[in-house]
Structures are given as structure tokens and as C-alpha cells.
Amino acid sequence: MKRLDAALLALTLVVTWAVAPLRAQELEPEQARAQLAEWTRLVDRFGREAGNLRLEEADIRRLTERITAVRGDAAALKEKIAGQVSEARELLDSMGPLAEGATESPEAAAQRKQLQERLARAEGWQSQADVVIARADQLIDRISAKRIELFARTLLRRGPSPLVPQVWIGAGRELHSLAVLTGTSFAAWVPRLFDGSDIGPAMLVVLGVSALGFAGGLVLRAYLIRRFGRRRPTGPARGRLGLLAAAGATFMGDASPLVLTLLGAWTVWPPPGFFPNAAVMSLVYGLIGGVVVLLLCRWAIDASIEPARPAWRPVPVGDAVAVLLARRLRAAIWVLAIHIAVDRATAPLSVVDNFTSVWNFLIVIAMAVTLIRVLQRRLWMQALVPAHRHAEDAGGEAAVAGARSAVWRLLRYAAVAAMWSAPLIAAAGYANLAEYIAVGVIETGLVLYAAAGAKLFARAAVGTAFEPDRRLGRAVARAFSESSQRLRQTRFWLGLALDFLIVIAAGLALLLVWGASREDILGLGSRMVEGVRIGPVTVSINDVLMAMLVFAAVLGVTRYVQRILDRRIFPGTQLDAGLRHSLHTSVGYIGLVIAGGLAIGMLGFNLSSIAIVAGAFSVGIGFGLQNIVNNFVSGLILLIERPIKAGDWVVVGGNSGIVKHINVRSTELETFNRSTVLIPNSQLVSTAVTNWTHKDMSGRIDIPVTVAHVTDAAAVRAVLLECAAAHRLVMKRPPPKVILNDFNGGTFQFELQVTVAQAQQMTDVASDLRFAIDRAFRAQGIGQPPS
């Protein structure tokens, strides 16, 4: 019972925290007015700036951040005011409405007036905050439209064609100028590291912290590989989950020194004035970015494909395919890393049009060659869709593989077409558009590859964890009395939820790949979190998640209470099985109603409004769902009145059997030949039902016996009573009885009446008595003609 008490306490705390009204601190009127006035002024100024905004990415990002900050402050104030509005309304409701013509005491009237003024003031502030939020959303939409315009103009800007020889000559000159500028900048910057200024100590601090991070990364790498990774490079395979865990541990172990080094350097990175100019800073950042992308992608490919260690390969592909796929993916990653480094290094320079045109043309051709080589022979498909060997049956495997193959085939055709068109677009002078297409296709492939790996790992982890012979599977089955079928259902739904999260993450990553900004995604997320207004109710993701949590918590506690009743409380009572079943089912219905009511309350819906809507739909329900509602109400009557209960032997129409379950719509009846009959509850309430075990579990058996050539009826009676008394299941009280119903000449019609304790035993006892009577008659010659 301690676990039950702890669960109930936790549920009480969760529900109390979830449904308790927000008690915000009282806002000072002057403070609220000042804040709202300041935000209104800022929104007006931002609107003028947005109208005169030049199409520059830095200006757009700066203005978006400032507007988003104002919007967040206004939303926070609105949330704070909502608590005061709710509190004032509750106090007014507690005072009750003032009847027409009635009077109240001066103190009550003053308090009512004060509460009304307080409510009106808070609602006014709330409306002003709504206006600020709405205007900020409009400005963000306008700025997003301008950003899209800038993005489209940048992509479609046409530069010199790389097919013209003069462009190559100009590109060489620009490259030479870039090299001279970078070399001169470094030559002037390096002596400053040792001239006693702050640059040298700052660099030493960066190097020292980076060295500490690198050392910590080495320690973490050794632990991850020793604990989760490969213990023996050629050791036996440990199942799909073990291989995936080893691959993940190997990747994280390889990446730990690099990641911790970068994190350490980032925490103490010098201010922008550390670099002499933007060219040096862009070159350093470009080199770092290219190296990071190259190493991380290289380690991810090696850990997931394992071309040299087939026994530790988590993706089920052959050795030749793995070697070829790894080689071509590495080539594509090299091209992408070099492009990132060069693109980042030349970003601040606006006088390298010829170099940009030639470089994008060459890099797009390299990307097209490497990626098309990956796409041919469907190497990508064997890695992303590993034949679905975990399917439960061959039919399901074929159906899943066929459907997904069609999707991946369509993606393959689209990617090949895009990569073939990118060099042609670059040759026409649209270098930015060609780069956008080629890089987007490669990064999309990386995102899909990562998502496929995450999905494979999640499904393997869930499938392994919920196996009946695993610790978690046994714990779930023991805690919730789950069967193997229910465990499979739990595994399926949990896997589906993880797939949904992976799809969401991959979708957000693809938005970033194809041009969406971080501010756009954060703005969309903030709007979804704040909620969508449906009439007078605002429903947000937070409310939905909290409602789902409360609903699941209440249902979980309900299931736990039902299990405690079945295992601990009912066995110590004298309640019959039918009453136990009724109480068990009633607790489930009560818990479901409470969970639904709390969840609806968490979403902000007014139950009285729902009742009105339900009343409006009652006419339609009466006509369209009459039978369903009738069966539901009849099921409640059966549970409350209990004319039949689980375990009763009943006869309904032509069906006879044992009641197994009384459900919401129908009652499950198991016949004596082990078939199941589902009888609508309304039929059990409205028609005649024979219940052999309604008040008493005992039953009487009437066995007619016709005997010819009887010379002594008393002797026959004695034999019948002896047969009844000899059977161990025949009750002594009431005693067996023999009745002489009729006789005609030498033929007598007897009837043996006996009682058994359990009515379900009547068929077996009747058969046993007939065999015993036959043996006794033969032994004593009763019923035989005289010789």
C-alpha cells in the first residue's frame, strides 16, 4: 500500500499544480501603464523601421530579435494579468449576482465595486497586451516577407558565366588579392600576440581551456568505447540494439575530444576585436567549420557503415556495398567541407564575383559527381531502408518495403534531376541558385540518413526493452498486469511516438537546410506554445501536453487502484465474483470520467458550455445513435442493479453460457462449446433472461426415468435414491427426491430430483447419474421382462 499512497500523493500534487488557478502578484497600475505605453511606442517605431528597411540580412535579423523580445514581454505580462482576471472573477462569482431591486450592505457594495473596477482594469490591460502581441506578429510577418524577398533576389541574382575565359582570369586575380589581403592581415596580427597586449594572454587562455576540453574528451571517449562500444573489434554480434549502441558510443567517443575542445574555446573566446579584420575572422571560422563538418560526418559514416568490421555493422548491407558506399560518402563530405570553409572565408568580401562564379561552378560539378555516384546502384536505399528485417512477417515486410521503396525512389529521381541541373544553372551565371540546390540536396541526404539511424535505434531500443524476458518488460507486465499482446501494443505506440518526434526534428532540420531562419522557427514555435484561439478559449501545446499528462496520470492511478482491489482487497472479503467485477468496472468508469473532466479543464474549455453543446446534439444523438446510447445506459443499469453479473449462468434467447464481461455496449457470453456471443446490453434489460445463479449458485437436476415391467415401484425408488446418494456432488440438504409421475400397466414414469452446489456442474452430474442408474438397473434386473 505504500506504493499506492505514494502514487496518490504524486497525482494529487500534479493535479493541484495543474488545475489550481494562477495567483499572480498584484500589478501596480502605474507600472502596467508604463510598460504597455513603452511597448506600444516601440512597436510603432519598429513599424516605421520595417517600412523603410533595406534588404540586408543583418538588419532583418536585428529587427526581428527586438520585435520578438517585445512580443515575449507582452505575452508574459498577459499571462500575469490572466491570473488577476481569473481571481477577480472567482471573487465576484462567490459574492453571487445582485438580484433586481435587492440591496446589500455598504461594505458588500463597496467590495463588489472594487472587484468590478479591478476586473475591468485587468481586462483593459489584457486587451492592450493583445494589441501589442498582434501588431508584433504582423511586423514579424512583414519582415519575414521581406526576408523571403531578399532570399529570392539573392538566389536569382545573375553573375558572370564561368564559361567565359575572362571570368577565369578575373577569378585568378581576385584569388590573388584575397591571398595577399589574408597574408598581410596575418603578418600584422601575429606580432600582436607577443607585444604585451591583451591578445597574447587571451590566446593562451583559449589554448589552455581548449587543451583541458580535449583531455576531458579523451577520458570520455575511453569510457564510452570501453562501456558501450567495441570490446573486441571482431567479437560476436550482440543483436541489433547492441550494434546500434556500439555505433552511437563510437561516434560520441570519437567526437567527444573535438566537441569538448570547441566548447571550452567558446566559453572563453575573445571579443570581436581580437581579430584584425573581418577577413581573418571569416577565414578562421571557415576553417574551423569545414574541419568540424568533415570530422563529424566522417566519424558518423564510419560508425554506421563499418566498412572494415562487418561483425559490428548496424546497417544490414554487404561488405562490397559498405566499402563502396563509405568511399563515395567520404568524397561527398570532403567536397562539402571544403565548400563550407571557402564560402565562410569569402563571405565578408563583395568584390569576388568572378571567383564566386568559378568556385561555385567547380564545387557544384564536384558535388554532382560525388552525389550521383552515391545515388546510382541504389546504395543510398540500402543504407536508409535496411530491408526492414525486423518486420514480424513476410507479408508485412513486403508491404512496408514496397511502399517505402516507392517514396525513396521518388526522392532519388528528384535528387538526381536536381544535381544534374545544378551545373547547368551555374554555367548560366546563377551561381547562388546552383549552390543552393547542390548543398541543399547533400544536406537533405545527411538529415535523412541521421533520421533513419535515429529511427532504427529507437525502434530497436523499444523492441528490446519491452521484450517479456527483459527487465523492463517484466516490470511493466508485473505492475500493470500486461499480457504479451498488451506489451506488443505498448511497444508499438511508444515506437510510433518516437517516430513522430524524429519526424518533427528532421522536419525542423530540413527547414533550416532549405532557407528558413532560426528566428522563423522560434517564432512559429512560440506561437504554437502560446496557443491557438478557438472562440473564447486559447489552446496551446503546453495545455495539450499537460492535459495528456493529467489524463494519463489519472488513468494510471485508476489502473493501479483496480489492481490493488483485485489482488489485495477483494481476496480478503466475502464478495462474490460478480460484485467484484462490477466494482472493478465502476472504478474504471469513474477514473475515466475524472481523467476526461480534468483534461478538458486543463484545455480551458468550460464544462457548462460543453453541456449546452451536448444538449444541442442530443436530438441528433437520439435519432442517429439511439441504439448505442441505449446499450450504454443499459450497461450502467446492469452494473448497478446487477440482475446478471460476471460468472452467472444465463440463458438469453437461444444462447446459454457463462457471463464473462459486462462492457459498455455489450455483454460477453461464453457458451459451453467455448464460443463467444456478444449480446447487446439493451436486450438483457428489455427481454426475459434466465439466470441460473442469480440468488443461489446451486441448481436442481430433474432426471426422468421410464421403467417397464415393474413389479415393485418401491424397489425402483430405493435404487434411484442410492444412486443419488452415492454421487459426491449431490447435496444432502435438500435431500434427493423420487417422484412417480405416472404409470400405465407395467410401465412406470419416475423423476429423480437432486440438487448440486454449483449450477455449472448440472450437466456433468446428470450424465453421471444416468450412467449409475443404468448400471444399477442392469445389476438388479430392473426393467427386464420376466423369464
Side-chain angles (χ1 to χ4, degrees):
M1 297 300 291
K2 293 182 178 179
R3 289 185 296 175
L4 176 60
D5 296 338
L8 291 176
L9 178 59
L11 176 65
T12 303
L13 294 177
V14 170
V15 174
T16 303
W17 171 74
V19 303
L22 183 61
R23 305 296 183 183
Q25 295 180 354
E26 182 70 20
L27 281 176
E28 293 294 336
E30 295 299 330
Q31 178 186 1
R33 293 192 190 96
Q35 289 179 347
L36 291 170
E38 176 65 17
W39 293 335
T40 303
R41 184 183 62 80
L42 288 175
V43 169
D44 292 337
R45 193 183 75 184
F46 293 155
R48 291 190 297 269
E49 291 183 11
N52 301 324
L53 184 65
R54 294 184 178 181
L55 293 179
E56 296 294 338
E57 182 67 26
D59 296 335
I60 292 176
R61 182 177 292 108
R62 175 186 57 82
L63 190 56
T64 302
E65 291 176 354
R66 297 176 66 184
I67 296 175
T68 303
V70 171
R71 186 189 185 281
D73 294 339
L77 179 64
K78 178 185 174 182
E79 188 71 19
K80 191 174 183 180
I81 295 172
Q84 295 187 9
V85 172
S86 177
E87 186 176 356
R89 284 177 178 170
E90 288 180 3
L91 293 176
L92 283 174
D93 292 340
S94 65
M95 295 184 67
L98 183 61
E100 184 178 356
T103 58
E104 57 184 352
S105 64
E107 293 80 6
Q111 185 178 5
R112 183 185 297 275
K113 181 179 180 181
Q114 182 181 2
L115 289 175
Q116 290 174 347
E117 292 176 352
R118 177 182 172 187
L119 178 60
R121 183 171 61 248
E123 288 178 342
W125 293 341
Q126 201 171 29
S127 300
Q128 294 181 41
D130 286 334
V131 172
V132 172
I133 294 173
R135 293 186 61 187
D137 290 337
Q138 292 176 356
L139 287 178
I140 292 174
D141 292 339
R142 287 173 55 189
I143 294 174
S144 297
K146 290 204 172 188
R147 184 182 179 279
I148 294 174
E149 181 184 350
L150 171 63
F151 185 69
R153 182 176 298 183
T154 302
L155 287 181
L156 299 178
R157 184 173 60 226
R158 186 174 183 180
S161 174
L163 301 181
V164 179
Q166 288 80 2
V167 175
W168 289 78
I169 298 174
R173 294 173 180 171
E174 293 172 355
L175 180 60
H176 178 265
S177 300
L178 179 62
V180 171
L181 174 62
T182 305
T184 303
S185 300
F186 270 100
W189 180 56
V190 172
R192 296 178 58 192
L193 299 175
F194 308 98
D195 60 0
S197 62
D198 295 337
I199 297 180
M203 178 61 73
L204 291 178
V205 172
V206 171
L207 293 177
V209 175
S210 300
L212 292 177
F214 183 76
L218 291 178
V219 174
L220 181 60
R221 178 182 184 275
Y223 170 76
L224 289 174
I225 293 181
R226 183 177 66 254
R227 177 66 178 84
F228 302 102
R230 304 171 184 78
R231 298 177 181 175
R232 298 184 302 275
T234 58
R238 293 173 291 172
R240 176 63 57 82
L241 181 61
L243 295 178
L244 291 169
T250 302
F251 170 72
M252 289 188 293
D254 292 337
S256 295
L258 175 63
V259 172
L260 292 182
T261 300
L262 294 177
L263 288 177
W266 181 261
T267 56
V268 294
W269 194 252
F274 177 78
F275 295 103
N277 51 44
V280 175
M281 182 176 64
S282 298
L283 180 61
V284 173
Y285 287 161
L287 291 175
I288 293 175
V291 171
V292 169
V293 170
L294 175 63
L295 293 179
L296 291 181
C297 293
R298 172 69 180 270
W299 291 331
I301 291 171
D302 291 343
S304 59
I305 298 179
E306 284 291 352
R309 298 181 176 91
W312 294 96
R313 186 177 301 145
V315 180
V317 295
D319 294 345
V321 173
V323 172
L324 188 60
L325 182 62
R327 184 185 305 126
R328 295 182 178 180
L329 285 178
R330 290 168 183 167
I333 294 305
W334 266 103
V335 174
L336 180 62
I338 294 173
H339 170 69
I340 290 175
V342 174
D343 184 69
R344 187 70 180 85
T346 59
L349 304 177
S350 59
V351 291
V352 289
D353 292 339
N354 293 321
F355 174 76
T356 301
S357 178
V358 172
W359 174 256
N360 285 349
F361 179 68
L362 294 177
I363 205 70
V364 164
I365 291 177
M367 290 180 180
V369 171
T370 55
L371 190 61
I372 289 175
R373 292 182 67 188
V374 173
L375 292 175
Q376 69 181 5
R377 293 179 58 183
R378 301 184 180 180
L379 296 178
W380 56 277
M381 188 172 179
Q382 298 184 44
L384 290 177
V385 189
H388 300 281
R389 297 182 180 179
H390 58 280
E392 294 185 359
D393 52 59
E397 179 179 355
V400 171
R404 298 192 180 184
S405 297
V407 175
W408 292 117
R409 191 180 302 112
L410 180 62
L411 291 177
R412 176 198 177 201
Y413 294 152
V416 170
M419 296 308 296
W420 276 117
S421 63
L424 300 178
I425 294 173
Y430 297 98
N432 294 331
L433 180 59
E435 175 201 9
Y436 173 75
I437 293 175
V439 174
V441 170
I442 291 181
E443 292 180 349
T444 298
L446 293 177
V447 171
L448 294 179
Y449 192 87
K455 178 183 177 182
L456 193 64
F457 179 81
R459 283 301 179 98
V462 172
T464 303
F466 280 88
E467 287 293 335
D469 57 343
R470 294 278 180 172
R471 180 182 302 176
L472 182 58
R474 291 195 301 268
V476 172
R478 184 171 57 253
F480 298 101
S481 301
E482 300 285 358
S483 61
S484 59
Q485 178 66 24
R486 297 296 296 272
L487 284 177
R488 285 195 295 270
Q489 292 178 0
T490 303
R491 182 174 56 194
F492 168 78
W493 287 109
L494 184 57
L496 190 64
L498 293 176
D499 288 348
F500 177 75
L501 295 178
I502 293 172
V503 169
I504 294 297
L508 294 177
L510 291 178
L511 289 178
L512 292 174
V513 165
W514 291 102
S517 65
R518 183 175 59 88
E519 290 78 13
D520 295 336
I521 295 178
L522 291 178
L524 178 62
S526 63
R527 294 186 185 184
M528 294 179 64
V529 168
E530 290 178 7
V532 179
R533 194 169 185 84
I534 304 176
V537 179
T538 300
V539 180
S540 65
I541 292 182
N542 290 337
D543 295 337
V544 173
L545 293 179
M546 197 61 204
M548 294 173 60
L549 177 62
V550 171
F551 186 82
V554 175
L555 284 187
V557 172
T558 302
R559 294 288 302 275
Y560 189 78
V561 171
Q562 289 178 315
R563 187 168 67 91
I564 292 298
L565 290 175
D566 293 336
R567 295 186 177 182
R568 298 186 181 182
I569 297 178
F570 287 158
T573 65
Q574 301 297 324
L575 301 177
D576 58 84
L579 183 56
R580 295 181 184 182
H581 174 75
S582 298
L583 292 175
H584 178 96
T585 306
S586 300
V587 170
Y589 287 157
I590 293 173
L592 181 62
V593 171
I594 294 175
L598 292 177
I600 293 174
M602 284 300 305
L603 293 176
F605 291 100
N606 191 347
L607 295 180
S608 61
S609 301
I610 297 178
I612 295 174
V613 175
F617 279 104
S618 61
V619 177
I621 292 176
F623 287 100
L625 303 177
Q626 181 179 2
N627 291 332
I628 296 178
V629 175
N630 187 14
N631 289 323
F632 175 76
V633 176
S634 299
L636 296 179
I637 294 174
L638 292 177
L639 290 175
I640 296 173
E641 187 179 343
R642 301 179 65 241
I644 64 172
K645 53 189 179 296
D648 282 353
W649 175 13
V650 299
V651 179
V652 184
N655 300 306
S656 176
I658 306 300
V659 176
K660 290 299 182 181
H661 297 287
I662 301 177
N663 300 315
V664 175
R665 189 192 65 84
S666 61
T667 295
E668 182 179 338
L669 185 69
E670 182 179 319
T671 62
F672 295 107
N673 58 2
R674 299 300 181 183
S675 63
T676 300
V677 179
L678 299 178
I679 302 175
N681 291 330
S682 58
Q683 183 176 349
L684 297 174
V685 174
S686 59
T687 60
V689 178
T690 301
N691 191 341
W692 286 90
T693 57
H694 177 49
K695 297 296 184 180
D696 189 359
M697 296 299 295
S698 63
R700 196 185 76 177
I701 305 174
D702 298 333
I703 303 177
V705 179
T706 301
V707 184
H709 311 288
V710 175
T711 58
D712 187 359
V716 176
R717 177 177 180 274
V719 171
L720 294 177
L721 291 176
E722 289 176 1
C723 293
H727 199 288
R728 62 182 182 84
L729 295 180
V730 174
M731 297 178 63
K732 306 303 180 184
R733 294 287 184 274
K737 181 188 298 185
V738 175
I739 300 175
L740 179 59
N741 289 326
D742 197 5
F743 59 88
N744 183 9
T747 301
F748 287 71
Q749 297 179 0
F750 298 91
E751 183 177 72
L752 175 62
Q753 297 178 353
V754 298
T755 305
V756 293
Q758 298 293 329
Q760 290 86 348
Q761 302 170 347
M762 292 171 59
T763 303
D764 296 335
V765 173
S767 177
D768 293 342
L769 290 177
R770 290 187 178 97
F771 279 111
I773 292 171
D774 178 67
R775 288 194 300 270
F777 281 2
R778 291 180 183 275
Q780 298 187 21
I782 298 176
Q784 301 295 327
S787 56

